[in-house]
Each structure stands twice: as structure tokens, then as C-alpha cells.
Amino acid sequence: MAAAFPEIEKIRYEGPKSKNPLAFRWYNPDEVIEGKTMAEHLRFSVVYWHTFRGTGSDPFGPGTMLRPWDDGSESVENAIRRVKVAFEFIEKLGAPFYAFHDRDVAPEGATLRESHKNFDAVAKVLKDEQDRTGIKLLWGTANLFSNPRFMHGAATSSHADVFAYGAAQVKKCLEVTKALGGENYVFWGGREGYQNLLNTDLKRELDHLAKFFHMAVDYAKKIGFTGQFLIEPKPKEPTKHQYDSDAAACLNFLRSYDLLPYFKLNLETNHATLAGHTMMHELEYAGMQGALGSIDANTGDLLLGWDTDQFPTNLYLTTECMLAILKWGGMGAGGVNFDAKVRRESFEPIDLFYAHIGGMDAFARGLKIAAEMRADGEFTKFVKDRYSTWDSGIGAEIESGKATFETLEAYMLEKGEISPHKSGRQEMLENLFNRYF
Amino acid sequence: MAAAFPEIEKIRYEGPKSKNPLAFRWYNPDEVIEGKTMAEHLRFSVVYWHTFRGTGSDPFGPGTMLRPWDDGSESVENAIRRVKVAFEFIEKLGAPFYAFHDRDVAPEGATLRESHKNFDAVAKVLKDEQDRTGIKLLWGTANLFSNPRFMHGAATSSHADVFAYGAAQVKKCLEVTKALGGENYVFWGGREGYQNLLNTDLKRELDHLAKFFHMAVDYAKKIGFTGQFLIEPKPKEPTKHQYDSDAAACLNFLRSYDLLPYFKLNLETNHATLAGHTMMHELEYAGMQGALGSIDANTGDLLLGWDTDQFPTNLYLTTECMLAILKWGGMGAGGVNFDAKVRRESFEPIDLFYAHIGGMDAFARGLKIAAEMRADGEFTKFVKDRYSTWDSGIGAEIESGKATFETLEAYMLEKGEISPHKSGRQEMLENLFNRYF
Amino acid sequence: MAAAFPEIEKIRYEGPKSKNPLAFRWYNPDEVIEGKTMAEHLRFSVVYWHTFRGTGSDPFGPGTMLRPWDDGSESVENAIRRVKVAFEFIEKLGAPFYAFHDRDVAPEGATLRESHKNFDAVAKVLKDEQDRTGIKLLWGTANLFSNPRFMHGAATSSHADVFAYGAAQVKKCLEVTKALGGENYVFWGGREGYQNLLNTDLKRELDHLAKFFHMAVDYAKKIGFTGQFLIEPKPKEPTKHQYDSDAAACLNFLRSYDLLPYFKLNLETNHATLAGHTMMHELEYAGMQGALGSIDANTGDLLLGWDTDQFPTNLYLTTECMLAILKWGGMGAGGVNFDAKVRRESFEPIDLFYAHIGGMDAFARGLKIAAEMRADGEFTKFVKDRYSTWDSGIGAEIESGKATFETLEAYMLEKGEISPHKSGRQEMLENLFNRYF
Amino acid sequence: MAAAFPEIEKIRYEGPKSKNPLAFRWYNPDEVIEGKTMAEHLRFSVVYWHTFRGTGSDPFGPGTMLRPWDDGSESVENAIRRVKVAFEFIEKLGAPFYAFHDRDVAPEGATLRESHKNFDAVAKVLKDEQDRTGIKLLWGTANLFSNPRFMHGAATSSHADVFAYGAAQVKKCLEVTKALGGENYVFWGGREGYQNLLNTDLKRELDHLAKFFHMAVDYAKKIGFTGQFLIEPKPKEPTKHQYDSDAAACLNFLRSYDLLPYFKLNLETNHATLAGHTMMHELEYAGMQGALGSIDANTGDLLLGWDTDQFPTNLYLTTECMLAILKWGGMGAGGVNFDAKVRRESFEPIDLFYAHIGGMDAFARGLKIAAEMRADGEFTKFVKDRYSTWDSGIGAEIESGKATFETLEAYMLEKGEISPHKSGRQEMLENLFNRYF
């Protein structure tokens, strides 16, 4: 099979002065930062769906993408050809990981049995290509939302058969993910949510969802899948209300159904902002609860109200992400997964390279800046000083559990008023942030 | 003391045909609906802050309100005069409850001790007026956000003294709430949140917040306060990020710090919509977790991004609220508390009557419509039918815990495809909803 | 050809007490309101695209709609079969109008010439069906956004060929619209806008757009098409920025390029709210400038950030629309065009009836309520009184042009302060509004 | 009078390597860029309202700001003391301009006559300080929104007296602005808008607004004020709908009332984003219509729905602003006016320095980057190439006015299909943008 990108060599690090748009200016995989290589920190992953299955269609028109290797058919042969192109791309790009939905690597068959068979056929080629290239599977997941059978949800469908169908599909996908050495398994909610409360039994649906996750946990144990389970928050789209709205909603769900020990979160920038949060907030919030699992690296347009899944190039964003990730000790088995798609107008194959190179460089630079900030320690010191009243005296008494409302009232009646405040210095800190750019 | 509203008689129910803007057209307190009177269902409450302390100021100009009884001073005498006007108003309106912040009933003194004293002096008059009129206290709460000392938060302040000050203030407010027979005690987050993550230790702040709530629970036990503790979700404003963002964030916090047994939620429409949720969603979500405590009845303008706290008049909204409240068995010790303010341009005293009458009528009519819908049972039946596959067969096996991924896969491999779906019928249900108006 | 909806009779008016979901409760076409029949006021129109070409696909999955008469092919035969089903539907529904895009009635061919030919073939059947049923064409329009050739816009494309292609398509569509007696011709912006300013020459694109409209005006004159030209505002989606953002942007464009005499606006609720405006605002704003042409009747979900195109059932919305439309003398050649689609989960053919019946009833009821409000005159009188200071004295001097800054300063220096204000009474007016429901 | 900032020296340029938070790292006033000094390009201006009158109050609490020189009184003496502090600050900062509202430099008196007198008294000191320091007045404006008399608007008030009052106030303010050599005069809408359409006569209000502006134009001519008139768009806040919603709404208004020759726009970032636009969009849109007058430099938080007026530090934003400003030939008499306020928690006087230094450096750096991009010409060339089909052939025929729908149809029927498209390359361009940071 001929190369799909014959004109592209392996993308190399050329340093900040390079003007070559097909080189890295910041991502230098072997460069060591805080004791680990960039590659180890960032664990970049290419997504199969947007990058190899995205057509550029939108609600106002069909696809635009030029993908000469793809005959548009739903055959296994075409699927296998795509696998080879995918690995050529990922290898030339130099990303160590990829991620997939069952239905985007292999075509759905006429029956579930045939779908399983198709999946097995393609998985074999994925395995071969992984072995050939050393590229690894960051995570697998099952698409439980595209087929019309999932119109009312999957585990939360009003129709019990659909739960069963979803269970069968996830079972298979867990097996394949295990076989391919997948380091995580992700649940994105798809259509788990509602369009309208008037026709919805909220509690019953959430009870079913918990049942589904417990079955997944049980089955993973049974087959010895030891990858990390991840849930991915998103507040809306495709449903009006997605049950996994944000990190808080996910964690409350996991806690209330005794699932917390088995799951972490896969956080996505564009989902965070659709929920009204910054990505840094979601990272900090998950991190402090030990639930930071992985990230879907992209960005939205804050003036648009839907998931635009753009490639992340904003250095403020990537620096903030890396600050939070470094602070909470990294992402473990997770990685920086580009759940991002080229614009409908960027329809040429080479745009896939530009897009990923830009995202990887933005994260590499964010990592470097974040590490530099941490080494300088100015932010850390500022925060530590800001809370210094908690390190002794009345603050320490409160933190240690010695204080009560009564002792605190006595303290304050005696003192009369608090000792003077210090400025929060937001503007100075924002200026300091800019100093690193 | 002369009447503040001499021209206003007690507001009476005159029925739907009345064109008297100072009469109820729908709120008929003694009318029995589903076995309880309207008064018992709705438990209307007038808020002290907006209604008796609101000046009409906004970020672009000072107050406009004409309040002839208020000399504008921060004296205890003025505060006591206000109490009398408040009770005249609430009595004429016919609301059975009110709610307050410590600092809006009594002026803050030069020291904490003096503030306590002022509060006691006014509380005595509140007690007298309660006794005279039979009006009851729905809930008390402490204002831990207006005074500059709370600029960085109260329990989550970077400054330990502020935690102590807040503790002293809540201690006192709990005592007064108990003395006045308050049926609940509310925590609205105020400035518990952050403006900027660069200067914030998120985890330390949330740990402190949990400590604060545990102290409150302990102190309530100690003094025998048996009212319900309530937390009130809000996602932003005044801080960029409020820790109690929405029902999910509150419940996750309560669960993770072992506070769930002691708290329910006080849900507000305008806070729900600022968080991207419908009020009905928040009610259903809290209801299904046994956490529906009370509501702050108002409405926002969905095209504006701040808390407008308008009086609720939209009948779709009030019907949806009452549907959810009736479904989850009512609000117990909670009530329909009008956390709403007249517009800055509605500056005449009589506008306070128009506003509350409109809100009470809207909720009364929402209650009647909701009860009629429930009596007809068309929505309930539709939902029950929609989930009927869960009542037997594979659905019942899943719900009962008998099914596993393996049995479900076997079921679906055999069946091949799900049995056909039914339409979600959103449009038909929306038409049916309209039939009740 | 067998009937597509054999079980559906013509939808009839049965009055408010009817519980028949397939009857009108409010839309009584011959009922006279303010001197015209409901049918004349409302001029309901069914859209071809959503109703006969919508598949229920969304960005997360393919279509769900059950349309047994449609074989899914892009053949002219299939297109003609659809026409017959469409007219069966519209006739049974009792809507007097319909509207189409060229490409949704007839399939695009391999060449422009073939597309023209297909369009002619289908237009002939449309004409026959119009003649048979008396159903009329409210407006035609050309789809200049779906085909990938329009990826960078049509008249505002960076590629001149695309302008030419669009011109050829609109030329043909104008001819067909004329032949079918279309009463208007609509331009919705499609992809006329930009995704990114970095690659866009804003001024050049807008200059081209004006050129395009001038050519359309010229050609209409030439062929004697006397229908009304309409532009349809929308702020975003599919592009990040749509040039025709809102009524103000459209009118500024029309004025600045001397196009104002030839165009009015086709206003859509969901586009108004995406632009941050109420529909009533857009109607008032267009109305006062003589530019109110027609409406696309639908509704969005204000908590979602994309164009959901739901059927309008909210009676506040429809009443506000009809208040504005009646105030500005109706819509002339325009109508109430249901640019709305059934939800993806409402996939059965009968849902199309439920949806349109609900929308028609909601507008009929809005019309009745608005007319009743106007007959009572309470709102009109309130507004007139509120501005009464402008009817004489200093107000009249200002309005008549006699006053200057100097005379006004003299007046106010003498007077010292304004005479007292009156309350804006928003709450009372909102209560009054509710009295009509 | 003692210095208000005795510890602060004049802020100096120390270059990018400086870690001194009280030095400029990028703003080097005399550095020449594209033939003009940075000072000439940027024309930085400090606002009187936020910086010298802002208290830090918000809707949830009173002021926090430590301003030892301000006794909080509304006396002329206090006002004069503030003037001196203001000029000390502006001089030490090195900003060449300032801007004010009449009522923030001088206290409102008991009568209009007294207000005039107070204003004169303070204006004299402003003049002296201007002469002493060389600092100039960028623009004056009248506050027609804070005083309760403006609750229903000023020129658009329902009460004619208020129009007269506003006229008198603007007359005076024009005189003072002229006397102080103000280079512009700004109208920000204040409460010119509505809270509710039910009580509003939209057309009458806009007619009045146009009258008001015409009177201002006439009076300026009469007194020989030759500064530029500017209107400042904002979509909402304090009113639900501000008439000057965005650049398009302003320009449509100006065109429709024959005011376009006399006005340009003062664009503000946070207002642009509240209207759903990027600041760069508003700048381009105004620029292409010859209406780019000046900018209010700040930033909002795109996840918050109100005007946060934060200091601009985002380098993407400032670079985009400067790209647009340079492209359209600069701002003429306008400038970069910091309509921004320190956060409520940044209450120390020194925070005012940090904030302005950060904003000035961010704009200086944005200017340098923008100029570098322009010098390199890669973006310009890309755009030029992208539209190259318009420079000859069919494109040139269209632009020159030779083409018609008929010639274009003939062209395309012959050609059959457009020649192939080129990618929009958004990702590559975003990467290229990052190369400059």
C-alpha cells in the first residue's frame, strides 16, 4: 500500500527559531522537565474519530474532507486501509498513543455478531500496527450514541433492550481494549441524559446508569482488565441535559452509587467551558479529589454555544492545564488526547499535520512555562504566604479540629475585629504570568 | 406609629375574574389541593433583604426606592421601625413566613459585641411581632459577605480570623433563629469561592468550609436547634466561581465531607439558570436524592448573565416547580421564599404589593395546574408506559441485579437487534402541557 | 400513489375543550379578529426542508426519522413522490402556504445544467399540486451552503467562481419562485460570514455581498418578479460570525449599500435569542423601521447555545409576537413560517402533525390574546400615559424641533430639578399580562 | 499637599528581562514602530471613574478600597484633592491622557446651577494640572445614568424633563471639555435602553435620542468644539436592552438619523464580548466603515455574563486589537483608554500601578507583535492569495460591475463546476500566530 502522506517526513524538533510549519518548535520528546521527559509528561494521543473518520459535515452541509485513501465504504477492507494510514500519520507525527471508539475503527455489521466479527478483524490489524510502530492505545471506548437505536440513550434508555445492547458492546470493547493493551477505558455519556423532563424518569435512568458501571467494573475484574476507568463530563449536546454535566456531577454520581474507587475523570476543555467552568478549575477540582485521570485536549470558542472541538493553541490555556497537572502529580495512565478536529474548511490532508503539530507545541510550551513557574516558585510562595494565618494560632486550631463555634466567638469577642487584610493582587499575578511568555 | 401602607387593606382572594390588581386571583389560602390547603403547600415567605432593605442601587447608580418610614440611618431605632413596617406588609399580604440575614434586621455595630447586642434588641421586637401576627420565621441566615472583612470569603477566606468572625456570627444567628422558632437555617455561599485560581488554594479552602459546617452542626445539636440546615447553590456572582455551584456540586461536597445527613438544598431559579440548568432539573435532581429542602422563588432573564432576582410570574415555570415539588412529597420545613426584588424603576411602596401578589398568584396557579395534571395522570401514564420494558423480562432482570454483561450479550446476540422504539413525543407532550393553561 | 397519512383526516377546529390531540383547539381559520380572519393574519407556512427532508441526524448520529414514502435516493422520482406527500400533509393540516430551498425540493445534478433541469421537473409538479390544492408558495430560496463548494461562503466566498455559481442558482430560483407565484424571496446567510478573521477580508466580502443583492434586485425587475425580498438575521452557526447577525446588522448593511428600499426582514425567534435579543425586540425594531417582512416561527432553548429550531408552544412568546405584528400592521406578504423541526426522538410521521398543530394553536391563541389586550387597551393606555410629558410643554418643544441645548439648559436652570417620576410598574404589567392566560 | 504615592518613582522602561513589577518591560514610549512612537500609537489614557472614584463596591457589599487621600465627602475640596492625586498617579505612570465623567471629577450640587459651579471650580484645577504636567484630556462625557432622575433613561427617558436635564448637563460638559482641550467627546448609553418592552415606546425613544445627538452636534458647532464625537456600544447592563447594542446597531442608528458624518465609535472589549462579538470583529467592522474612533481597553471574563471591566493582559487580545488598529490607520484623535478597574480584593493603592502597568505593557507588546507580523507580511500575503480569483477574470468582472446574474449563469453553465478550492488553513494560521509570542 502506497504512503498516504508521501511528502511528509517524520516531524522533527527544530527549536523555537524554526519557521518550518511542519516541525516542532517546542515539543522535544526527550527533553527532561522536572525529572521526566516531555514524552512521559504529555503522553500525546491522536483520536481516531475526528482525525480518521471526521468528514467535515456539520448540521448545514455534508463532508468536505479530502481523504484519498478512504473509499467511503463501510467495508472491513476500507477500515483496514484506514488503520494503516492512521499509523503512518501517528508515526510520522511522533505521538506515542491513540484512542478509538469501537465503531470508528471497524464498521457496524448487520447484526451484533457481525459487528463483533468486524471489530475483531480490525483489532488484529491494530495490534499488528501497534507492534510494528510501538504506538500504544491510550484508551478504547464504545460508541453508544450514533446508531438510531441509542436515540433515547444507552444505559439510560427508556428501552431495556438498548441497555442490553450497550452492555454487549462495552463487554466486547473491554475485551479488545485489553487485548490491545489499552491503558484506560473511557465512558463518555453520549446520549445519557434527557431532552425533556416531561417524558423522563430521572431517578430510574440514573439507577440504570450505575448498574451499567457496576457491571463494567465486575466484568473488567473478571477478565483481568487493569486499565483505569474514566468518565468524561459534558453538560449538554447531544442531549439538552447530559447526566455527566461536569466534574462535580460525575463525582457526586460516583460517590452516591459507590463507584468512586473505580473511576477517574477524563476532562475536556470544551466540555468544561460549556459547563461554565475553566478547564483549570475542572483540573484542580478533580485533582484535589484524586480523580484526575486524563484530558481531552482541545478548545472551544467561548462566544459559541456548542462543542467546536478546536485544536488547542492558546498558551494561557495550555500553561494553566500543565500547572494543574504537574501540581496534582501528573495524569498517571492518562494522557493529552487531542479530541479535536480540523475546521470544515481545512479539508486537505496536510491540515491534519498542522493541527496536531500546533496542539503538541502549545502543550509542550505550556509544560515548559509551567515548570519554569514552579521552579521560580513565585506563585507558590504567594499562595503560601496568603494563607499563612492558617499555619499557626487560631488558624492551626481550626485546622486541627480544636476550635468550636464557642472558642471562636470568644476569640473574636476579645479581639473585636480581624487583623488587617492583604490585597489579593490579581493584577500583579496576571502580569507575572505574562512575564513567562 | 402610623401605618406605612394606610391605603392598603388585607389582600383578599377575589377569584380569576377579578381585575383588582391588589387582590389574589388564584391564591386562596384555605383551598384544599391534594389533601392540604394552598397555604400549607406553598408556605410563602417574604424576604427581609430585598423587600425592606433593598434600595434599588445597581452598579451604575445609587438607590431609587421611596421608603418614607426609613430614615436611612443605621440605628437600632430605625431597624425597629422597619420591623414594624415589615410585619404590617407581610400581614396585609397574608404571607405566613419571612426570612432574614442577621445584618439586614439589625445594624452591624462597631464591634462584634455591639453587633450581637443590636441583633438581640431587634430580635426581641421580631419575636413580639411574630407573636402578635402569627407570622413565622422560615429561616435565618448570617450575612458573611457584605462587610469588607469578607472580601476573600468567610469560612473559605485566606485569613483565619475571618473564619473565626464568621463562626461567631453564625453561632449568634443560630441562637436567634432558634429563639424565633426558625424552621430552617440557610447557608448561601456569599463569597465562598474564588476570583482567580492563581492566588487560591482550592483544597484548603474547601476543607475549611467543611470544618465550618461541622461546627455548625455540632453547635446546633448542643443548643437543641432542630431546624433543617440548607445550602443554597449558585455558580457565580459575586465570585467568579462559587463553590456551591449547583445541586450536584453541593451534594458532592456534602457527601465527600460526611455532611449529607445534616443538610438539604435551598434551590433558587435564577441560580439554577445561571448554572445552565432549568429549575425543574435542580428540583428533580435534589428530590431524587432526598435533598429538596426549600426554594427561593424568583426568575432570571435568560438573555442576561447576572442574577436579576425578578419576581416569578411565568406560569410554565411555576407549574414545573410545583410538579416537581408535589412529586417529591413537598418541601417539609421549607417554603416558597420570594428572594426577588422589585425593579429599580418600580420605586413606589405599592410596587412591593404588586410584585408579591403576582408571585403568589403565579405559584398558586402553578400548584392548581400541577395538581390537575397529576389528577388527570396523562403525563404520569406516558412516562410509566415509556419505561414499561423495565417492568418485566430483561429490564426486570437488570433492575433486580441478576443480569451481567455476559447474560446481556448472550440475550442480544440471540435477539440480534432491539425491538422497535417508540417516539419520545416531546411535541405532543408540550401541546398537552398547554392544554392546562 | 397511496396516501402517506391514511389514518389522518383533515385537522379540524374543535375548540378549547377538545382533548383530541389531532384537532385545533384555538386555530379557527375563519374566525375574524380585528377585521381579518385568523388565516389572513397568520398565513401559516410549512417548510419543506425540516418537514420533508429532515432526517433527524445530528452531529452525533445519523437520521432516525421514519418516512416510509421516501426511498432515500436522490432521484427526481423520489423528489416528486415527496412533493405529493408534502401536499397531502399541508392540505390535511390546513396550512395555506409552504416554503422551500431549491435543493430540498429537487436533487442537485452532476452539473449546474442538470440541477436546473431537475428543478424544472419538480417545479412542474409543485405547480400542479398548488393548483390542485390552492396551497401557495410563501417564499422560495436557494441553498447556497450545503454543497462543499460553498464551504467558504457563497456571495462572500474567497473564490469568485462560487459567487458565480450562487448567482446562477439564485437566478434560476427566482425564475421558479416567480413561476410558482411565490410571494417573497428569502436570503438566509448560510455560510456568508467567517470562521476566522485571520484569513478573511471582511470589507471585500461585504462589498461582494452587496453586489450580489443588487444583481438579484436587477434581475427580479427584469423578469417582473414583484415578490418581497427578505433577509434573515442570524448571528452564528454555521459560521462563527454570520454577517447578517441581527436586525440591526442587516439594516445597517442594507442602508450602507443602498439596498434598503428593496428588502425587508424575515425574523426568526431562535436566531434572535442566539443574538441576545428577544423575538419581540427584533419585531419592534424591524417594525419601527418599516422592515418587518415575515417570521420564521420556532423557538430555541435559552440554556443551549445552538439553533434548536423547536416548534413554538410558549404562549408568552406567541402573544408577544402577535402584539408586535398587530402593532406594526401585520406582515404584508409575509407569514408565520414554521422553520422548526421535530426532535430526533419524535421520529414517527404522526409527530409532524402534533408539532404543527401545537405551533398553529399557540400562534392562534397568541393572536386572540394579543387582540384582546389591544381591545382592552390597558397596556396602550399605560404607555401613552407614561410618555405624556412629551405631548405638551417642554416635551412638545423638543419633539417639534424648537428646543436647543441652550433653551433646555435655561428651562432646567430655572426649574432646578425635574418634576417627580412615576414608577415603571413592570411587576404590575407582568401580572396584567398573566390575566389574559 | 503630601504625595499620595511617596514610595513610587516614575515608572520606567526596563526591558523584557526586568523582574521589577513597577517597571515597564515592553512599553517604551519613544520607541518607533511603523514610523511613529509607541506613545503616539497607543495614546494611553487613565479613567477617572474607576481609578479615582471606584470604591470596590459590588451588588453584594460596599467598597473595600484603601484611598487615604479621599475623605469620602462630596465636597469640592475633596474633589480638588483627588485631582491632584490623579495627576500625581498619571504622571508617575507616564500616561499622556485621561478621561472623565462630569460627576466623577466634581460633586453634584443641590441644584443644576450648583453642579455647574462645582464643575467649573474643579475644571480650573484640572486645567492647572494639565498645564503643569502636560497630561491631556482624551475625552469628557456626562454621567446621565447614576442619579435616580435618570432611572428611566436620559435622552430616552419617558419623562421630558429628564431629556432637558441631560441636555443642560451635556451642554456644560461640552463647554468644559472644550476648555480643557479634550480631543473627543463620548456618549456611552448609560440607561438609554429599556427594561421591559411592555412599558416602552421604542420608536419615540429612539427619535428622542437622535434629537439629542443633533442638538449636541449643533451646539458643538456653535461653540467651536472640534473634537470627535464618539458613541460607545454596549448590549446590556444596566438596562436589559441598551439601544447602542453593538457597532452595527450604533451605525444603523447613526445612518438612519443622518448622524453618521458626525460620529465615530468608541469600542470596548468587554462590551463587544457581551454582545457576542470578538473585539477584533468590532474593530474591523467599524474600521471598514470609517468609524473606528477610540477604544476602551479592558477585558471581560467570557464565562461571566456581566461587565467585569478587568485590565487587559491577554496578549492574543492586545495583538488582535493592534493588528486591526494598524490596518485601519490608527485611531486618529482616539486612544487606548483603560476603562478597567482593579478587583475588589486588590484594594491597596499600589494595585492601581500594577494594573495599569500590566495593561500598558500588554498593549505595547501587542503593538510590537502586530507590527512584526505586518512587516513579515505572512498573514497579509495569505489573505491576498486567498482572494486572488477576484483580481482578474470573472472575479474582476463582478467587482467592476460588469457581471450580471445572466452572464454569471452563462459562465457557470459553460464551466459546469467551480475550479477547486483551497484550504482555509485556520490551524496553520493559528500556529503562525503563536510563533510571534
Side-chain angles (χ1 to χ4, degrees), chain C residues 111-113 116 148-152 155 157-165 167-168 170-172 174 194-206 208 211-212 215-216 219 222 240-241 245-246 248-249 251-252 255-257 275 277-278 280-281 284-285 288-289 328 379 382-383 386-387 389-391 394-395 398-401 403-406 408-409 411-424 426 429-430 433, chain D residues 111-113 116 148-152 155 157-165 167-168 170-172 174 194-206 208 211-212 215-216 219 222 240-241 245-246 248-249 251-252 255-257 275 277-278 280-281 284-285 288-289 328 379 382-383 386-387 389-391 394-395 398-401 403-406 408-409 411-424 426 429-430 433:
Chain C
T111 62
L112 178 60
R113 198 175 303 273
H116 278 11
R149 86 173 60 84
F150 299 114
M151 68 166 79
H152 300 305
S157 175
S158 49
H159 187 353
D161 271 6
V162 182
F163 182 109
Y165 202 104
V170 171
K171 175 178 175 291
K172 180 71 186 174
L174 273 170
Y194 60 79
Q195 298 290 17
N196 194 304
L197 276 171
L198 292 180
N199 67 11
T200 302
D201 187 334
L202 195 68
K203 182 171 186 317
R204 203 168 190 183
E205 293 203 357
L206 283 167
H208 296 165
K211 278 257 183 294
F212 195 87
M215 287 185 195
Y219 190 66
K222 178 152 188 188
K240 176 200 167 33
H241 176 88
S245 303
D246 60 5
L251 291 170
N252 184 48
R255 281 185 214 279
S256 64
Y257 287 101
H277 306 304
T278 60
M280 196 180 185
H281 171 80
E284 284 281 334
Y285 184 81
M288 67 168 244
Q289 294 174 77
W328 296 108
F379 287 107
F382 184 90
V383 174
R386 191 169 178 240
Y387 292 84
T389 57
W390 291 93
D391 297 329
I394 196 75
I398 296 167
E399 288 203 344
S400 68
T404 66
F405 269 13
E406 288 141 305
L408 294 172
E409 183 188 48
Y411 166 82
M412 197 43 74
L413 283 172
E414 161 118 12
K415 189 160 184 175
E417 187 51 83
I418 64 165
S419 60
H421 267 301
K422 287 182 292 186
S423 163
Q426 178 166 330
L429 294 170
E430 289 172 343
F433 209 84
Chain D
T111 62
L112 176 61
R113 198 174 304 273
H116 278 12
R149 85 172 62 84
F150 299 114
M151 67 167 81
H152 301 303
S157 175
S158 49
H159 187 352
D161 271 6
V162 182
F163 182 109
Y165 202 104
V170 171
K171 174 178 176 291
K172 180 72 187 174
L174 272 170
Y194 59 79
Q195 298 290 18
N196 194 303
L197 277 172
L198 293 180
N199 67 11
T200 301
D201 187 333
L202 195 68
K203 180 170 189 317
R204 204 169 189 183
E205 293 203 358
L206 284 166
H208 296 165
K211 279 255 182 296
F212 196 88
M215 286 185 197
Y219 190 67
K222 179 153 186 187
K240 176 199 167 35
H241 176 87
S245 303
D246 60 6
L251 291 169
N252 184 48
R255 281 185 215 278
S256 65
Y257 287 101
H277 307 303
T278 60
M280 194 179 186
H281 170 80
E284 284 281 335
Y285 184 81
M288 67 168 243
Q289 294 174 77
W328 296 108
F379 288 106
F382 183 90
V383 173
R386 190 169 179 239
Y387 292 84
T389 57
W390 291 94
D391 296 330
I394 195 74
I398 296 167
E399 288 203 345
S400 68
T404 65
F405 269 14
E406 288 141 304
L408 294 172
E409 185 188 46
Y411 167 82
M412 197 43 72
L413 283 172
E414 161 117 14
K415 188 160 184 176
E417 187 51 84
I418 63 165
S419 61
H421 266 303
K422 287 182 292 189
S423 164
Q426 179 166 328
L429 295 170
E430 288 171 345
F433 209 84

Side-chain angles (χ1 to χ4, degrees), chain A residues 136-186:
Chain A
K136 292 187 286 183
L137 178 61
L138 188 66
W139 42 267
T141 189
N143 177 329
L144 305 182
F145 48 90
S146 291
N147 190 293
R149 85 171 62 85
F150 298 114
M151 68 167 80
H152 300 304
T156 67
S157 176
S158 49
H159 187 352
D161 272 6
V162 183
F163 183 108
Y165 202 105
Q169 208 175 317
V170 171
K171 174 178 176 290
K172 179 73 186 175
C173 195
L174 272 170
E175 293 159 8
V176 171
T177 300
K178 178 173 186 288
L180 295 175
E183 305 197 8
N184 304 269
Y185 186 89
V186 167

Side-chain angles (χ1 to χ4, degrees), chain B residues 75-352:
Chain B
S75 69
V76 171
E77 292 67 37
N78 195 27
I80 289 172
R81 207 157 44 234
R82 259 190 236 113
V83 170
K84 295 189 175 162
V85 173
F87 277 81
E88 180 193 341
F89 175 81
I90 303 169
E91 196 176 17
K92 285 183 168 170
L93 182 67
F97 290 98
Y98 75 112
F100 68 71
H101 290 82
D102 51 358
R103 294 301 179 251
D104 55 47
V105 288
E108 180 145 14
T111 60
L112 178 60
R113 198 175 303 273
E114 192 182 317
S115 298
H116 278 12
K117 203 179 121 207
N118 292 348
F119 196 9
D120 284 333
V122 178
K124 195 179 162 307
V125 187
L126 289 168
K127 185 71 169 60
D128 292 346
E129 289 292 304
Q130 289 186 201
D131 291 346
R132 183 183 65 75
T133 59
I135 293 164
K136 293 187 284 182
L137 179 61
L138 188 66
W139 42 268
T141 189
N143 177 328
L144 305 182
F145 49 90
S146 291
N147 191 293
R149 87 172 60 84
F150 299 113
M151 67 166 79
H152 299 305
T156 67
S157 176
S158 48
H159 187 352
D161 272 5
V162 182
F163 182 109
Y165 202 104
Q169 207 174 318
V170 171
K171 174 177 176 290
K172 180 70 187 174
C173 195
L174 273 170
E175 293 159 7
V176 171
T177 300
K178 177 173 186 287
L180 294 176
E183 305 196 8
N184 304 269
Y185 187 89
V186 167
F187 292 92
W188 168 59
R191 298 185 196 270
E192 312 292 25
Y194 59 79
Q195 299 290 17
N196 194 304
L197 277 171
L198 293 180
N199 67 10
T200 302
D201 187 333
L202 195 67
K203 182 171 187 316
R204 202 169 190 184
E205 293 204 356
L206 283 166
D207 287 348
H208 296 165
L209 186 59
K211 279 255 183 299
F212 195 88
F213 286 147
H214 275 295
M215 286 185 196
V217 167
D218 291 345
Y219 190 67
K221 274 187 202 156
K222 178 153 187 189
I223 65 171
F225 174 69
T226 56
Q228 175 66 48
F229 278 114
L230 298 169
I231 296 189
E232 180 173 329
K234 186 178 184 187
K236 46 191 155 191
E237 204 198 29
T239 73
K240 177 201 166 33
H241 176 87
Q242 303 273 125
Y243 291 135
D244 298 333
S245 302
D246 59 5
C250 287
L251 291 170
N252 184 48
F253 171 79
L254 294 173
R255 281 185 216 277
S256 64
Y257 287 101
D258 298 321
L259 284 159
L260 193 58
Y262 314 111
F263 284 83
K264 291 188 173 176
L265 301 181
N266 182 41
L267 297 165
E268 175 171 329
T269 309
N270 206 157
H271 295 177
T273 53
L274 285 171
H277 307 302
T278 60
M279 180 62 167
M280 196 180 185
H281 170 80
E282 290 288 86
L283 289 165
E284 284 281 335
Y285 184 80
M288 67 169 244
Q289 293 174 79
L292 173 46
S294 194
I295 69 170
D296 268 11
N298 65 16
T299 193
D301 182 320
L302 292 181
L303 296 173
L304 302 181
W306 64 91
D307 199 16
T308 62
D309 276 349
Q310 294 173 245
F311 276 85
T313 56
N314 187 300
L315 299 174
Y316 293 96
L317 169 66
T318 58
T319 301
E320 287 168 2
C321 286
M322 294 315 303
L323 273 175
I325 290 169
L326 291 175
K327 174 176 174 185
W328 297 107
M331 293 180 289
V336 173
N337 181 56
F338 288 108
D339 190 1
K341 61 185 178 199
V342 289
R343 301 300 86 195
R344 189 177 187 260
E345 303 78 22
S346 302
F347 62 89
E348 299 175 18
I350 201 171
D351 289 309
L352 294 173

Side-chain angles (χ1 to χ4, degrees), chain B residues 60, chain D residues 47 49-50 99 101 139-141 185-190 192 213 229-237 242-247 249-250 254 263-272 282 294-298 307 309 337 339:
Chain B
F60 298 87
Chain D
V47 305
W49 50 101
H50 286 316
H101 289 81
W139 43 267
T141 190
Y185 186 89
V186 167
F187 292 93
W188 168 59
E192 313 291 24
F213 287 147
F229 277 114
L230 298 169
I231 296 189
E232 179 173 330
K234 186 179 185 187
K236 47 191 156 192
E237 203 197 29
Q242 303 273 124
Y243 290 134
D244 298 333
S245 303
D246 60 6
C250 288
L254 293 173
F263 284 83
K264 290 188 174 177
L265 301 181
N266 182 40
L267 297 165
E268 174 171 329
T269 310
N270 206 158
H271 295 178
E282 289 289 86
S294 194
I295 69 169
D296 268 12
N298 65 17
D307 199 16
D309 275 349
N337 181 56
D339 190 2

